[in-house]
Amino acid sequence: SGEVGLSAIPYRDDIVRLLLFKEPKFEESASHQSVTEKPDALPEATHQSSVTRAFVMSFFSKLPAVGDLSNTVLVELVQYVIKRVLDLACLQPAKGKAFISGSDEYARITRSWQALCLLSRFVTEDIAQQVADKAFSALSNNLHGEIRYFMEVFLIQSTRIHPDVFGTRLIEDIQKPSLTLQQVSSLLIIGGNLTIGRYSCDFFRSSKDVRMKGFLVGALPWLSSTQGFSRAIAQLLCHSLIPQVVDVSVELDRDEGNQLKDESVLRSVYTFLEENSDMSRLRKKQEDFFQTYDVDSVTTLGGLLSIPVGDGEEANPEHKIDAIKECLAETYDEAHVEDAPVWKQMEDLLINADCNQALGEEENEGIEDEAQLVNFQRKILPIDALDLALRSISEQHLHNAAGKQKQKLVVCATLVDKVPNLAGLARTCEIFSASTLVMPNVQIRKQDDFKSISASADGWIDLEEVKEGDLLGWLHQKKSEGYSIVGLEQTASSKCLTRMKFSEKTVLLLGKEKEGIPIEFLSAVDQCIEI
C-alpha cells in the first residue's frame, strides 16, 4: 500500500483542476456534438457533467486509510490537494453578493466543498487546526444553501474525527456576537448534529458538561434573533439542549434576594419553549431536524454523486434552512388563520376551489367547497364585501404592480437558460405589462438570485413552464388560439422593432444566447424582428 499514489504526485496541480472540472453542457440542437457514454466503473447516478471529476474522486476514494498510506503520498499529494481545494472553496463572492447559481464560480465552489467532503478522512492532526480555521471562517461568506450544505457536512465529519480542534473552534465561534445570520444558522446546525442530534459527540459531554454549556451559552441569545429561520433553529436546539445541562423537572429556585438562580433561568426558558403553542407546533413539524444529515454517505463517492442535480447542473441537496423556512410559513398560517383579513381568507378559499376543480375532484367534493364558500359569506362577509373581494382578486390578474392593464403579450423564454437573464426578463415583462412569461422551469423562481433580480415581479405576471422538447407543439397551439408568433432573430426578412406593428395577441419568441432561434422553431414563426 505504501507505493499507492506516488506516481500521481507530479500531477497534483492537474488533479486539483480535474476535481473541479465540469463537462460542457450538451445542446440538443447542435448536431455536431455527441454524448459520451458513462463508464461502468462510475456510480450509476453520475451526472454527465461530472464524469471527469468522478474518475479523480474515485481514485481518492480507493486510497488506503491514513495509517496504511505512505507519508509522502499523504503529505505531498492528498494533503496538498486538500489545502489547494480549501483555498478555492473559501474564496469570497465579489462585493459580498452570493455567486449566481449556474455560473462557473458557483460550480467551482460547490465542487470544491464536495471534494473536501470526500477528502475529510485525510485531514490529520498536523493540518487540522489550519483546516478548521479556514473552513469555519468561510461560513461567514454569503453563499447559497446548496453550498452551505456541503460545508456543514464537511465540518460535522471533521469535528467527529478531530473534536478537540474543530469542536473547540465551534464553541468559540458560536459565542461571537458579530455573526451573520447565515453563519450562525450553519453553526447551530453543525452544533445541533454534534450535541443532541444524529452525530452526538462525547467531546461535548466530557469535562462536567462545560463544553455543552459553552455551546448553549452561544446559542441562547439567538432565541431573540430578528431573522425567523435562525431563531427557529435556536428554539429547536435549546429545547433539546437545556435538559442536557440542567434537571428541568426541578421547581424554579430563588436565592435569598428572591432572584432566580442561573439554572432556574434555564428551566424557565425551557418551560416556555415546551409549553408555548407556537413553539410546540414548530417542534412537531421539525422533530427530526438534527437527525436528517447523512454525513457518512455524503463523504463517500457514491453518496456525493447520487445527490439530485438541479437546473444549474450542480448538486441540489435540500438545505435545512429551506426546510425551516417552509415550516415557519406553515406554522404561522396555522396559528393566524383566523387573524387574516377578509380578502385573504376569501382568496385562499377561491384558490382551494380552483385547485380542486383543476385536479378533477368528485362532484360532491366540489359541492362541499361551494357550500364552504357560502357559509363563509354568511358568517363573515356582507354581500358587498364578497363582491369586492371577488373583483379585487380577479382584477389583480389583469394589471401589473403599477396598475397598468396587462397586454395580451406572451414572452417565451424557453430557450433562455441563465437564471439572471430569466429574472431580468420577469422584471421587464412586469414593467411593460406583459401577461405571461414562459420559462423552461418555473421552479427557478424560488432561487435566491432570481428573487433578488426580479424584485417580486413574478408575483404580478403569470409564469408558464414549457420545455424545449414541447416548444414546437406549444407554438402551434398558440397559433390556433389566434396568437401571432414573432421571433427575435436577425434574418433576411426581419423587420426593425421600431417599425413593427404587433398584433393584439402576440407571442414573442426569444432565442438562445449564442445560437439564436433554432431552425425547427423558425418554421412556426410568422414574423422576425431585430433590435
Side-chain angles (χ1 to χ4, degrees), residues 263-319:
E263 289 192 355
S264 290
V265 172
L266 289 178
R267 293 189 188 103
S268 178
V269 172
Y270 173 81
T271 300
F272 177 79
L273 294 174
E274 172 68 17
E275 298 180 0
N276 180 270
S277 58
D278 287 343
M279 309 280 175
S280 177
R281 194 177 288 112
L282 171 67
R283 208 163 47 248
K284 287 178 180 178
K285 291 179 177 294
Q286 291 292 330
E287 58 185 357
D288 295 327
F289 186 83
F290 297 109
Q291 307 288 338
T292 56
Y293 274 30
D294 193 351
V295 171
D296 290 326
S297 173
V298 180
T299 51
T300 65
L301 176 66
L304 277 170
L305 296 177
S306 65
I307 296 174
V309 171
D311 296 322
E313 296 195 341
E314 293 302 326
N316 188 33
E318 181 184 19
H319 189 228

Side-chain angles (χ1 to χ4, degrees), residues 406-448:
K406 292 181 181 178
Q407 308 177 68
K408 294 181 180 179
L409 171 65
V410 178
V411 178
C412 181
T414 291
L415 302 176
V416 178
D417 60 359
K418 286 187 168 52
V419 175
N421 293 345
L422 289 167
L425 283 170
R427 186 77 181 111
T428 303
C429 287
E430 187 273 317
I431 292 172
F432 287 96
S433 305
S435 63
T436 306
L437 174 63
V438 179
M439 304 167 61
N441 185 349
V442 294
Q443 296 303 317
I444 292 173
R445 69 189 299 178
K446 298 180 181 179
Q447 297 188 15
D448 291 339

Side-chain angles (χ1 to χ4, degrees), residues 196-473:
I196 50 92
R198 185 171 185 173
Y199 302 102
S200 181
C201 180
D202 290 339
F203 168 81
F204 291 95
R205 303 181 185 283
S206 57
S207 301
K208 298 181 179 180
D209 289 333
V210 170
R211 298 188 183 108
M212 186 80 81
K213 291 178 180 177
F215 186 76
L216 178 60
V217 165
L220 279 170
W222 294 99
L223 290 172
S224 59
S225 171
T226 57
Q227 183 60 265
F229 58 81
S230 55
R231 184 172 64 248
I233 297 172
Q235 291 167 1
L236 292 171
L237 178 61
C238 291
H239 178 266
S240 296
L241 204 54
I242 290 175
Q244 302 290 328
V245 298
V246 298
D247 184 355
V248 294
S249 63
V250 178
E251 293 185 2
L252 300 183
D253 189 16
R254 300 177 183 271
D255 60 19
E256 295 178 358
N258 201 34
Q259 298 296 314
L260 287 174
K261 294 183 178 180
D262 290 347
E263 289 192 355
S264 290
V265 172
L266 289 178
R267 293 189 188 103
S268 178
V269 172
Y270 173 81
T271 300
F272 177 79
L273 294 174
E274 172 68 17
E275 298 180 0
N276 180 270
S277 58
D278 287 343
M279 309 280 175
S280 177
R281 194 177 288 112
L282 171 67
R283 208 163 47 248
K284 287 178 180 178
K285 291 179 177 294
Q286 291 292 330
E287 58 185 357
D288 295 327
F289 186 83
F290 297 109
Q291 307 288 338
T292 56
Y293 274 30
D294 193 351
V295 171
D296 290 326
S297 173
V298 180
T299 51
T300 65
L301 176 66
L304 277 170
L305 296 177
S306 65
I307 296 174
V309 171
D311 296 322
E313 296 195 341
E314 293 302 326
N316 188 33
E318 181 184 19
H319 189 228
K320 296 307 297 180
I321 295 298
D322 297 327
I324 204 74
K325 284 180 180 178
E326 292 182 9
C327 180
L328 282 172
E330 293 176 4
T331 302
Y332 181 87
D333 288 342
E334 291 174 6
H336 297 84
V337 64
E338 297 298 333
D339 300 333
V342 167
W343 67 266
K344 177 60 178 172
Q345 297 183 52
M346 189 67 235
E347 181 181 42
D348 290 342
L349 284 172
L350 290 172
I351 290 173
N352 287 335
D354 286 344
C355 289
N356 290 341
Q357 184 177 1
L359 290 172
E361 295 187 348
E362 299 293 334
E363 288 186 9
N364 59 341
E365 293 178 350
I367 293 172
E368 183 178 336
D369 289 327
E370 186 176 345
Q372 186 181 12
L373 286 173
V374 172
N375 289 335
F376 180 87
Q377 174 192 341
R378 289 173 178 169
K379 293 178 182 178
I380 302 175
L381 292 172
I383 193 67
D384 290 342
L386 174 61
D387 290 340
L388 180 62
L390 289 168
R391 197 180 310 116
S392 174
I393 295 167
S394 175
E395 289 179 355
Q396 179 177 334
H397 295 289
L398 301 177
H399 296 80
N400 68 357
K404 295 181 181 179
Q405 186 169 355
K406 292 181 181 178
Q407 308 177 68
K408 294 181 180 179
L409 171 65
V410 178
V411 178
C412 181
T414 291
L415 302 176
V416 178
D417 60 359
K418 286 187 168 52
V419 175
N421 293 345
L422 289 167
L425 283 170
R427 186 77 181 111
T428 303
C429 287
E430 187 273 317
I431 292 172
F432 287 96
S433 305
S435 63
T436 306
L437 174 63
V438 179
M439 304 167 61
N441 185 349
V442 294
Q443 296 303 317
I444 292 173
R445 69 189 299 178
K446 298 180 181 179
Q447 297 188 15
D448 291 339
D449 42 349
F450 183 94
K451 293 178 182 178
S452 64
I453 296 173
S454 66
S456 74
D458 57 305
W460 292 94
I461 59 172
D462 294 330
L463 296 181
E464 183 177 350
E465 179 174 305
V466 176
K467 303 290 187 185
E468 184 173 347
D470 302 323
L471 180 56
L472 189 59

Side-chain angles (χ1 to χ4, degrees), residues 7-24:
S7 59
I9 293 176
Y11 308 101
R12 57 189 187 179
D13 288 320
D14 295 319
I15 288 173
V16 170
R17 286 190 288 271
L18 292 175
L19 265 177
L20 314 181
F21 181 77
K22 182 176 182 177
E23 279 78 2

Side-chain angles (χ1 to χ4, degrees), residues 21-157:
F21 181 77
K22 182 176 182 177
E23 279 78 2
K25 184 177 180 180
F26 174 71
E27 298 286 350
E28 294 181 3
S29 60
S31 58
H32 65 280
Q33 294 186 355
S34 61
V35 180
T36 303
E37 291 188 7
K38 183 177 60 188
D40 294 335
L42 298 180
E44 180 64 28
T46 304
H47 191 265
Q48 65 181 26
S49 67
S50 294
V51 173
T52 300
R53 70 168 180 143
F55 276 111
V56 183
M57 295 167 73
S58 178
F59 164 75
F60 282 113
S61 70
K62 294 177 181 177
L63 288 178
V66 170
D68 299 322
L69 191 63
S70 160
N71 188 64
T72 302
V73 174
L74 176 65
V75 175
E76 297 299 325
L77 175 62
V78 185
Q79 293 186 344
Y80 175 87
V81 169
I82 290 175
K83 293 175 183 178
R84 285 290 311 280
V85 172
L86 184 60
D87 287 340
L88 294 171
C90 294
L91 289 176
Q92 294 185 2
K95 299 180 180 179
K97 295 183 178 180
F99 295 111
I100 297 173
S101 59
S103 66
D104 292 340
E105 295 84 358
Y106 179 90
R108 184 177 66 248
I109 299 296
T110 302
R111 291 171 180 238
S112 294
W113 283 108
Q114 286 180 304
L116 288 169
C117 288
L118 184 72
L119 296 170
S120 57
R121 67 188 180 103
F122 298 107
V123 175
T124 61
E125 188 175 348
D126 297 340
I127 64 170
Q129 190 64 59
Q130 178 184 353
V131 172
D133 290 342
K134 285 191 175 183
F136 275 107
S137 296
L139 288 176
S140 64
N141 292 345
N142 185 6
L143 298 169
H144 289 272
E146 293 83 359
I147 298 176
R148 303 191 78 82
Y149 171 84
F150 294 110
M151 298 172 76
E152 291 156 10
V153 166
F154 173 74
L155 285 168
I156 291 171
Q157 185 73 334

